[in-house]
Amino acid sequence: MSLLKKKVKTMEELSQVINISRPTLSKYFHDAQSVREKTRAKIEEALEHYDYRPNIYAVNQNRRLTKTIGIVVPYLADPFFAEIARNIETRCIDAGFAPSLFSSHGQPDQEIDILDNLRSVKPAGVLLAPLGRISNVREVERFCRDVPTILFDSNISDLGEAFVGSDNYSFVSQSVKYLCDTGEPPCFFEMRTPANPNANKRREAYIASMAEQGCEANVIKIEGEGWDFEEIGYGGALKALEEHTLSTNTVLCSNDRLAIGFLAACYEKGLRVGAGTGCSLRVASHDDHPYSRFTCPPLTTVAHDYESVSSSSVKTLIQLIESGGRLPNRTEQRFPARLVRRMSA
Amino acid sequence: MSLLKKKVKTMEELSQVINISRPTLSKYFHDAQSVREKTRAKIEEALEHYDYRPNIYAVNQNRRLTKTIGIVVPYLADPFFAEIARNIETRCIDAGFAPSLFSSHGQPDQEIDILDNLRSVKPAGVLLAPLGRISNVREVERFCRDVPTILFDSNISDLGEAFVGSDNYSFVSQSVKYLCDTGEPPCFFEMRTPANPNANKRREAYIASMAEQGCEANVIKIEGEGWDFEEIGYGGALKALEEHTLSTNTVLCSNDRLAIGFLAACYEKGLRVGAGTGCSLRVASHDDHPYSRFTCPPLTTVAHDYESVSSSSVKTLIQLIESGGRLPNRTEQRFPARLVRRMSA
DNA sequence: GAAAAAATTTTACGCGCGTAAATTTTTGTT
DNA sequence: AACAAAAATTTACGCGCGTAAAATTTTTTC
């Protein structure tokens, strides 16, 4: 079918074979409803017989606004970000935009490189999940001044036109309460110097939640840099188990990837994890990572509201775009999380 | 520093403040070595004081060839593809290209949409890991005729100018030999209708390898569609364990993600997996998925030569680009794999 | 040191399309 | 049916840059 269509290179040519002016065609492609019905019929009939695609470079050179939306995540090899990126991508397409996905791969200079390239793409807007603590904040700020940007997942105060993410307090208060209600109060297992600002919020929420429960907080900080969280969690867990630094039989990990490493270490040490009899340790965590269902035992965790976060991110961005790139005031939206009970605690 | 630079919008303006002609500047940006040294010095000195970025849309409209490389993978939420995409991305950047990453999300129509969009981007070349069996082969073929494309990971015969991937026989012969040498010969655990063509190659290799070892082959086909391999593996394993359809104590999974599901089912059933005493089952697999180190027990698997596959993919594509989009004959490159012994077998 | 050759720069034109302003056609009113 | 108002179409121009061909400068040759 489409193989038989004659290729037409330019809008000019097409306008000639169809016997209307090129600008009318241009209008049609911009908004099919803006031309008279008879003209539209002629155009669409011609489109059946000719294979024509507007030159996006010529289009974008002249249009004030591109239809591109940049999506930047800190680490795409993390299935959590892959999943949320997929969700956001789909919503952008449905809204008539062309999403363009980038990963900083955990490196601040890569993040800036991406933003620099993005700048010359002149995107309608950008959804940015920044690296966090290690981000080059000055450069990111400079970018946000030039391009309508909305932060998601990780907040950096005052950067971007809005923030959309999850409510870390909601995560931790639920996990702490659940663990306290069903057994010993948990210690908190985290990296000493986490790149992600959510980690700090979660620690604070842990301390506050423990106080609410009338329990004493105990934070275990493990060493390690970078994004190999499983490896870091594994190493830290081995050390903690060998040195018996755990003050309780219940461990609450800052995030699921650390917990996955923790569980691997427990298995290696022959420790049975879970709430049942014969178990020596309970482990819980936060994020509802795509793999947390398949750990051994399956991980009790607190789930992001993926749908709400991605939906709201895209909605807010489109609103931002429609109001010309600036919002009256910077809003911060945080969605509550949901406890997912599995076998590990 | 850069905040003080005066913004210059067009090459024209820049050429005026620097007092040379615009085309000379154009030459400089295309190839800095192509202008006289004194001129170059003048330009680079000006670039210190003025903030100018060429308009990529104007550039790409006029250049015969874009510097964009399209990378298309079937499922980015699979860390295997995320990892190989990252590797390839980096190599493209190092080679002076601008990679653009897309995921088909397991859907054939999405794959075609991506290729359609890619077509109007006029990329210098495309690295495509197709969905496989479910791909719309006719449309993919049409794309390959228009755009210089190299297939990787999954081969579709005669499509694209070349194929780069892993040698499935190398994977399976090693795992089968190892398992036979160290215990009972394995049965083969796979999806009944896998989308990925590598799965078929692996089954054939399993049967051939078992024959070589003088053992009888036994293939267990489980139900399930889509890309939720862990879930499918988990469900299939539960069924197989409950119905006692396993003819041996050794299971070789087609890929690591199925194995992750299999291990979860074993844990749930209270079966201890491994080669040691007290273990009732050995499980091994293929791919060396990023998470296979952290399963319980850690997964014995066979590793892709990630580096070679991605390096060769990019090299072959650049060679293709430099020879003007066509290669004398379609080559197929397959890299051998490497056995990784862990605790599961 | 003058003429020829080579390297560099400039002139001139076009890429494919968006869009304001001018023109034409259609619609609505009396 | 005549005319004004509204809607659609066309004319005319420009976007920022690549590039062939022409003009200039620099280097080489004897």
Side-chain angles (χ1 to χ4, degrees), chain B residues 8-317:
Chain B
V8 172
K9 237 196 115 190
T10 74
M11 207 180 261
E12 186 75 50
E13 287 181 52
L14 186 60
S15 74
Q16 282 169 5
V17 301
I18 187 182
N19 207 31
I20 58 173
S21 77
R22 185 185 56 72
T24 302
L25 257 182
S26 175
K27 281 196 69 177
Y28 169 84
F29 282 113
H30 188 71
D31 173 13
Q33 303 304 316
S34 70
V35 303
R36 198 167 303 169
E37 182 155 341
K38 274 174 74 177
T39 314
R40 195 183 334 143
K42 278 207 290 187
I43 295 174
E44 285 172 350
E45 203 258 318
L47 253 26
E48 298 284 315
H49 301 291
Y50 296 92
D51 179 17
Y52 166 72
R53 309 180 60 88
N55 180 317
I56 59 166
Y57 297 112
V59 170
N60 285 334
Q61 177 174 23
N62 295 300
R63 239 210 273 281
R64 312 191 178 289
L65 230 67
T66 301
K67 275 293 188 181
T68 302
I69 284 183
I71 305 171
V72 185
V73 298
Y75 199 77
L76 201 46
D78 183 336
F80 166 69
F81 285 111
E83 188 56 30
I84 204 162
R86 190 188 59 73
N87 203 318
I88 286 178
E89 243 186 6
T90 307
R91 290 170 194 277
C92 288
I93 294 174
D94 290 347
F97 289 88
S100 203
L101 179 60
F102 301 91
S103 165
S104 308
H105 302 313
Q107 296 167 352
D109 50 340
Q110 271 250 42
E111 187 171 57
I112 299 307
D113 282 350
I114 290 169
L115 295 185
D116 266 346
N117 286 331
L118 223 35
R119 200 192 299 267
S120 57
V121 172
K122 303 182 199 305
V126 169
L127 287 166
L128 169 64
L131 286 169
R133 181 176 57 80
I134 60 174
S135 283
N136 184 335
V137 177
R138 271 190 43 180
E139 289 294 317
V140 175
E141 188 179 5
R142 226 161 60 87
F143 177 82
C144 292
R145 271 208 298 278
D146 295 347
V147 182
T149 302
I150 283 180
L151 262 51
F152 73 100
D153 183 66
S154 292
N155 194 17
I156 300 183
S157 52
D158 295 331
L159 240 57
E161 297 296 311
F163 168 73
V164 179
S166 289
D167 179 358
N168 286 297
Y169 183 81
S170 165
F171 277 82
V172 182
S173 61
Q174 288 186 65
S175 55
V176 167
K177 183 167 191 325
Y178 167 74
L179 292 173
C180 288
D181 286 353
T182 54
E184 288 186 21
C187 63
F188 191 74
F189 186 82
E190 67 163 1
M191 288 168 68
R192 180 174 303 283
T193 52
N196 193 306
N198 291 324
N200 297 321
K201 295 277 168 59
R202 288 180 184 177
R203 182 191 332 101
E204 292 166 13
Y206 163 74
I207 294 171
S209 297
M210 289 293 276
E212 270 177 40
Q213 300 289 324
C215 305
E216 202 177 335
N218 179 18
V219 176
I220 299 174
K221 292 175 180 294
I222 60 173
E223 306 301 328
E225 287 286 329
W227 284 78
D228 287 333
F229 296 169
E230 294 86 4
E231 180 63 36
I232 292 168
Y234 169 78
L238 271 191
K239 191 152 177 279
L241 293 174
E242 281 164 5
E243 299 175 0
H244 298 90
T245 46
L246 260 41
S247 57
T248 151
N249 76 1
T250 302
V251 179
L252 178 58
C253 296
S254 181
N255 65 65
D256 285 348
R257 294 184 60 196
L258 284 177
I260 289 171
F262 199 104
L263 291 180
C266 290
Y267 188 91
E268 183 173 324
K269 286 288 169 194
L271 293 173
R272 192 161 178 85
V273 172
T277 53
C279 294
S280 52
L281 206 60
R282 295 191 304 162
V283 175
S285 178
H286 311 103
D287 281 343
D288 195 28
H289 190 284
Y291 282 32
S292 56
R293 289 192 51 199
F294 302 103
T295 56
C296 300
L299 193 57
T300 289
T301 183
V302 188
H304 286 268
D305 187 346
Y306 280 78
E307 294 292 318
S308 295
V309 171
S310 35
S311 155
S312 179
S313 299
V314 175
K315 270 183 197 156
T316 309
L317 181 63

